[in-house]
Amino acid sequence: MAGRFDPLTRTTVRGGRTAVPGGQGHAAGAGAKARRWAPDGPVDLGLTLGPLRRGPADPTFRTTPDGSLWRTSQTPQGPATLRVSRTGTEITAEAWGPGADWFLEQLPALLGAGDDPAAFVPRHRLVHASHRRRPGLRLTRTGLVLESLIPVILEQKVTSDEAYRAWRRLVRQYGEPAPGPHGLGLYVMPAARTWALIPSWDWHQAGVDAKRSATIVRAARVANRLEEAAAMEPAPAAARLEAVPGIGPWTSAETLQRSNGDPDAVTTGDLHLPGIIGYALAGDRDADDAAMLELLAPYAGQRHRAARLILLAGHTPPRRAPRMPRSDIGRL
């Protein structure tokens, strides 16, 4: 559910809104393939695509002053770079690289065309207020499993900063410069085979312990089977991911929220999320997963959306304990 929370800054660091500058448009990029798409309702680019960003310096994601949002992917047709921006009521998209056609074909799904916000009915005053303030929130569906799964595995049992640092280092070291305009410093994440061949010392230098690196290698070796989960219903999709040792309900939910746009994939096993939702809805900062699921029961079918709206509302319990210790095994 994009529920990672930074207890130091009191803000959501996954699933929150990415600020997109209010630019005045841009000139067409050289060599780009282009598409315009008119959504059937409001779409906030920062809210919709924000969960795909892995920290402020993610080498696969950028925003620029002209009002553009950029991202890269390792598509089924090869690496690609996408730029999206708003032009009036339309979305303008340009893409570069071997996967450009695939990226443009998937544009509506990426921007939430398959999402059904009308199915959501707020049941709490705080949720209603958060929902009303964000009419452009749509749940993205990337159709790509591995690109969401790997950074989620990196986030297991560590702070966000540690996970983001590892992601940046590994993508820049083993990925490739993104196709399209130069100067942004964008990279495309490595292909599955490359992840499977990263040596143990480079995992260590990136601060990734043996348990997480082994899970990523196992997932990369069955990448084709995992990618099939993007077209599955939620339960079998989660089962497909969780068949890989090291992938549990927390990891599968966080992945399917992005790859499948699952509106009900609520994250369990999170360090902070139950307390945030318990405090926001019932004043219970000590809520556990069971209590959180009970509070979210009225939103069955839409629990991911409800939890995200609660996080975006920013109504969090005051901190009363030291934050999760930070470490860097790469220095050992």
Side-chain angles (χ1 to χ4, degrees):
M1 181 286 327
R4 179 62 63 84
F5 184 78
D6 187 334
L8 178 62
T9 63
R10 316 303 299 162
T11 59
T12 52
V13 293
R14 278 193 299 156
R17 179 177 182 175
T18 291
V20 179
Q24 299 300 315
H26 56 266
K33 296 183 177 182
R35 176 178 182 177
R36 285 179 177 264
W37 176 64
D40 60 3
V43 175
D44 185 311
L45 295 178
L47 279 174
T48 301
L49 299 181
L52 304 180
R53 187 175 200 170
R54 303 295 178 170
D58 184 348
T60 71
F61 194 111
R62 287 284 187 280
T63 59
T64 49
D66 63 3
S68 299
L69 188 151
W70 300 72
R71 68 181 302 264
T72 70
S73 280
Q74 191 69 249
T75 79
Q77 296 176 2
T81 301
L82 178 72
R83 172 166 68 176
V84 292
S85 63
R86 180 173 294 282
T87 305
T89 59
E90 290 187 322
I91 303 296
T92 299
E94 294 172 283
W96 295 260
D101 289 332
W102 188 93
F103 235 157
L104 293 177
E105 183 180 352
Q106 296 296 315
L107 180 70
L110 184 70
L111 296 179
D115 185 28
D116 182 16
F120 183 75
V121 180
R123 305 290 185 181
H124 298 84
R125 181 176 299 178
L126 178 142
V127 177
H128 177 76
S130 184
H131 183 249
R132 186 181 65 249
R133 289 195 297 268
R134 298 171 177 87
L137 172 63
R138 295 292 183 272
L139 301 183
T140 186
R141 180 172 188 159
T142 67
L144 298 170
V145 173
L146 204 65
E147 77 165 24
S148 292
L149 176 62
I150 288 177
V152 169
I153 294 171
L154 291 174
E155 292 164 3
Q156 293 176 346
K157 306 296 184 181
V158 298
T159 66
S160 298
D161 283 350
E162 292 172 89
Y164 296 157
R165 183 171 64 245
W167 173 248
R168 291 193 301 268
R169 178 167 183 147
L170 292 167
V171 169
R172 287 174 178 151
Q173 183 173 357
Y174 286 98
E176 59 184 287
H182 300 290
L184 292 176
L186 289 170
Y187 282 77
V188 180
M189 68 167 267
R193 176 173 171 78
T194 303
W195 286 108
L197 296 176
I198 295 176
S200 59
W201 52 87
D202 279 342
W203 288 113
H204 184 83
Q205 287 296 316
V208 182
D209 58 70
K211 182 177 180 180
R212 286 179 292 151
S213 63
T215 301
I216 291 174
V217 170
R218 284 192 292 264
R221 287 173 176 167
V222 293
N224 290 339
R225 293 284 289 162
L226 296 182
E227 293 295 349
E228 294 173 359
M232 294 179 176
E233 292 298 313
R240 176 68 61 90
L241 267 62
E242 292 171 26
V244 177
I247 297 177
W250 183 91
T251 303
S252 66
E254 290 282 324
T255 301
L256 296 176
Q257 289 157 12
R258 297 165 173 84
S259 63
N260 293 37
D262 187 347
D264 197 48
V266 62
T267 305
T268 56
D270 194 85
L271 180 61
H272 303 288
L273 186 61
I276 295 170
I277 290 179
Y279 182 79
L281 299 186
D284 179 10
R285 62 180 299 159
D286 297 315
D288 57 12
D289 278 342
M292 175 183 71
L293 293 175
E294 184 176 352
L295 288 169
L296 292 176
Y299 300 102
Q302 294 281 324
R303 293 177 299 174
H304 166 39
R305 191 190 309 272
R308 187 165 174 210
L309 286 168
I310 293 167
L311 280 173
L312 289 166
H315 188 67
T316 59
R319 199 175 77 211
R320 65 183 182 189
R323 63 184 185 272
M324 186 175 182
R326 301 170 189 262
S327 61
D328 183 1
I329 67 169
R331 296 182 179 180
L332 298 178

